[in-house]
Amino acid sequence: DVAGLAAHVAERSKRYGTIAAPTLVISSDADRIVYTEIHTASLARELKDVTAHVLPGVGHVPHHAATDFVVAEIEALSRRLEAGQTR
């Protein structure tokens, strides 16, 4: 999986700008698999309607380490969509 990942991500990242759906991105500055400065920042820069958060010291599984925060952000995005709000 890892051997082909860089080429796959590079190819897919060319399409980030075509994503129009409101998107929530939550990552961590302590993740050693998905690098915030490479992956999260480039994705957030390209998306049209993005809410991005970088959690300090959480690691690769923010949905486990910061469950309440992740759930609250999902609910906030859901409320915004139900209200018809986009950016």
Side-chain angles (χ1 to χ4, degrees):
D1 289 347
V2 174
L5 184 60
H8 178 77
V9 170
E11 184 62 31
R12 295 294 174 254
S13 68
K14 295 174 186 174
R15 300 189 62 194
Y16 286 171
T18 67
I19 298 171
T23 305
L24 174 62
V25 179
I26 300 175
S27 61
S28 169
D29 64 0
D31 192 332
R32 297 297 163 233
I33 297 169
V34 177
Y35 295 102
T36 301
E37 60 277 0
I38 297 170
H39 302 105
T40 305
S42 63
L43 177 61
R45 244 190 336 269
E46 297 293 326
L47 295 178
K48 293 169 180 47
D49 186 350
V50 63
T51 302
H53 299 283
V54 178
L55 303 178
V58 170
H60 186 63
V61 288
H63 55 289
H64 289 284
T67 304
D68 292 343
F69 178 81
V70 173
V71 169
E73 288 300 309
I74 292 169
E75 289 173 342
L77 177 59
S78 179
R79 283 190 302 277
R80 186 167 68 90
L81 295 175
E82 287 174 357
Q85 299 171 351
T86 59
R87 292 186 182 142

